Amino acid sequence: RVHGDFHYASKFCTPLTYRFVFSPIFSLPLKSIPCLQMSLEPKIPDLVSPLTIIPGDDHYLAITGLLTVAMQGFFFAIAYLFQIDKVTDFAGSTNFVFIALLTYFCGQANGISVADAAAANPRAAVATALVVVTRIELALYLLYRVLRRGKDDRFDKIRGNFIAFAIFWVFQAIWAWGVCLPVTFLNGDAASPPAWGARDTAGVVLWCVGFIIQVVADLQKDKFRGDKSNNNKWCDIGVWKWSRHPNFFGEILLWWGVWVLCTPIFDASASNWGYATILGGPLLTMLILLCGSGMPTAEGDNQRRWLKTPEQKAKFIAYRQRTSALIPLPPALYAALPMWFKRWFLFEWSMYETDWSWTPETDINGGGDGGGVGAKSPNASTPLKSGMAPGGGAQRT
C-alpha cells in the first residue's frame, strides 16, 4: 500500500520531482523505513542488571542461605512444637521453589516483564521452570502421602528429640540450598548469555527422562500398594522390575540435567567457580540418596521386612540378584553381570547388604543391634538399620 500510494502521487508531480524524490524511496526495502522497524523487526529486550540485595552478594548465595535458614527454622518450630510430620517434606521441597523464583525475578526479570526476561535469557527461564515444576510435584506428592498415612515413620525415633530432629532440619536446609546452586548461579550472573545450544538441549532431555521415570515410579508403586492383595509383596512391576530404586535414579538424573543446562553460563561468566556448583547440585543429590537418607534407609527397611521367613528370604535374595540397585536394566542382563562390574559401575555397594543368615529369632536370641548401615562384621546379625540416616531432605522411599 505504501508503494502504491507513492506511485499514485507520482501522477500529480513533475517528472523531475518523481525521479529525485519518489523513485529512490521505491528502491528501499520496507524494513529500512524507521517508522516500520518496530512492527517488522521484533526487538529482543536488553539484559538487565541483577538487583543487589546484599552488597557483594553477586550470585545471591548469602540472601538465599539466610532465607533458607529462616524458612527451615520456622517450619522446624511448627513440626517440633506440634509433633507433626505434615510440614516437613513440604517445607523442604517448596524451599527450592522459593530460591528459584527469588533469584530469577531479582536477577533476570529485574524491572522488566517475565516475557521480556525469557526472551533475553531463555536458558534461565527454562532452568527456573524445571526446578519449580519438579519441586512442586514432589511437595504435592509427599504432602498427599503423609496426609494419607497420618505420619512419616522415618521420624518415629527422632521426632521427640529436639537435637536429633533439629539435625535433620539442618541437613534439609543444606540440601535445598546446595542442590539449587547451579540455578542460583545462573540466575544471578550478569554475563551476556550464550545462544541456546546442544548442551542446553541435552540438559532438558536428561531432566525430562529423569522426571518421567520418577513420576511413573511413584504412580506405579502407589497403585501396587493400593491393591490389598499385594500387602505381603514388594513392588516389582513396571520400572520397579528393572530397578530397586527407580525414583532415586530419576531424581539424580533430572538434577544432572539441570546442571548441564546451566553449564554454558559458567563459560561466559566473569566468575570462575561456576563449574564448582556440581558439588552442590547433582553430586550432593547423589551423596544424600546413595549414602544418606535414601538407599541405605530404604534397603534397611526392605531387608528387615523381607527376611522374616525362609521363603521370603529366598525370594528377596533372588530379587536383589536380578534387579539393579539404581540404574534401570533388564533383569536377565543384570543377573548375568559379574559382581565386580556391579560394584564399580552400577552402585551395588556392599554397604547395602547385610548378614543374610539373619532372622528375627537370631535377633531376639542375642544377635544384638550390631548391624547398622554398611556393617558386615562377623558379629553383625541384623539387617541395615531402618532409622533416619544422615542426609535429610524430602525423599521418596
Side-chain angles (χ1 to χ4, degrees):
R1 175 174 172 78
V2 172
H3 282 182
D5 288 345
F6 283 141
H7 281 292
Y8 181 76
S10 69
K11 297 178 181 179
F12 302 96
C13 62
T14 65
L16 288 177
T17 302
Y18 176 80
R19 178 175 181 181
F20 292 104
V21 177
F22 290 105
S23 181
I25 296 177
F26 300 155
S27 64
L28 294 176
L30 289 179
K31 62 181 180 181
S32 67
I33 302 175
C35 66
L36 298 178
Q37 285 182 355
M38 183 174 296
S39 60
L40 296 177
E41 294 183 352
K43 183 180 178 181
I44 297 177
D46 296 329
L47 288 174
V48 298
S49 298
L51 174 67
T52 299
I53 301 177
I54 298 177
D57 186 23
D58 295 336
H59 290 87
Y60 302 125
L61 302 184
I63 187 62
T64 55
L66 291 173
L67 293 176
T68 295
V69 170
M71 181 175 180
Q72 297 305 309
F74 173 76
F75 282 105
F76 162 71
I78 294 176
Y80 181 75
L81 291 175
F82 295 97
Q83 290 292 287
I84 58 174
D85 303 330
K86 296 177 177 61
V87 299
T88 304
D89 287 339
F90 186 81
S93 301
T94 53
N95 204 146
F96 283 78
V97 178
F98 181 77
I99 291 175
L101 293 180
L102 172 69
T103 56
Y104 183 75
F105 282 105
C106 291
Q108 301 297 322
N110 178 25
I112 63 175
S113 69
V114 175
D116 286 345
N121 191 351
R123 181 179 297 105
V126 171
T128 301
L130 297 185
V131 172
V132 170
V133 168
T134 183
R135 292 306 92 171
I136 288 181
E137 184 275 332
L138 178 63
L140 294 177
Y141 171 76
L142 294 179
L143 181 62
Y144 157 76
R145 189 179 70 177
V146 74
L147 289 175
R148 185 184 61 184
R149 296 179 180 178
K151 66 171 185 175
D152 192 329
D153 295 338
R154 295 178 300 164
F155 305 114
D156 286 347
K157 296 181 179 180
I158 66 171
R159 191 183 299 109
N161 186 318
F162 180 87
I163 295 178
F165 201 36
I167 290 174
F168 168 83
W169 282 84
V170 169
F171 277 112
Q172 177 155 277
I174 295 173
W175 168 66
W177 182 83
V179 175
C180 273
L181 278 177
V183 174
T184 302
F185 184 99
L186 170 64
N187 286 342
D189 199 87
S192 179
W196 187 276
R199 276 187 290 176
D200 303 284
T201 303
V204 173
V205 170
L206 287 175
W207 183 92
C208 289
V209 173
F211 184 70
I212 291 172
I213 290 176
Q214 189 179 67
V215 172
V216 169
D218 289 335
L219 293 175
Q220 289 177 340
K221 193 169 188 178
D222 279 345
K223 182 179 180 180
F224 182 87
R225 286 181 170 175
D227 187 346
K228 294 183 179 179
S229 64
N230 296 324
N231 285 346
N232 294 318
K233 301 177 183 177
W234 56 82
C235 184
D236 59 353
I237 63 170
V239 291
W240 296 88
K241 189 175 183 178
W242 287 40
S243 170
R244 302 203 300 272
H245 305 286
N247 48 354
F248 294 160
F249 173 75
E251 176 80 359
I252 291 171
L253 189 63
L254 70 85
W255 284 114
W256 274 108
V258 170
W259 185 79
V260 170
L261 174 61
C262 295
T263 54
I265 200 63
F266 302 159
D267 297 326
S269 174
S271 300
N272 59 5
W273 58 272
Y275 281 100
T277 59
I278 192 175
L279 300 175
L283 291 186
L284 180 57
T285 300
M286 293 182 69
L287 178 66
I288 293 174
L289 292 181
L290 298 179
C291 305
S293 61
M295 287 176 60
T297 299
E299 289 283 312
D301 287 340
N302 289 338
Q303 292 173 25
R304 183 174 293 276
R305 185 181 304 135
W306 305 119
L307 300 184
K308 292 181 179 179
T309 67
E311 294 78 12
Q312 281 184 331
K313 180 187 298 185
K315 292 180 180 179
F316 184 71
I317 292 176
Y319 165 72
R320 291 184 89 259
Q321 290 175 343
R322 69 174 183 268
T323 309
S324 173
L326 183 68
I327 302 173
L329 289 172
L333 172 61
Y334 188 77
L337 294 173
M339 182 55 71
W340 67 264
F341 188 89
K342 297 176 182 179
R343 295 274 198 241
W344 279 94
F345 301 107
L346 299 177
F347 306 98
E348 191 66 81
W349 295 342
S350 59
M351 66 182 294
Y352 305 140
E353 297 174 359
T354 186
D355 180 357
W356 298 110
S357 65
W358 178 89
T359 65
E361 290 74 19
T362 59
D363 194 26
I364 294 173
N365 293 331
D369 195 31
V373 176
K376 287 192 68 180
S377 65
N379 296 326
S381 57
T382 59
L384 303 179
K385 288 182 180 178
S386 59
M388 176 64 66
Q395 303 296 344
R396 295 168 163 91
T397 55

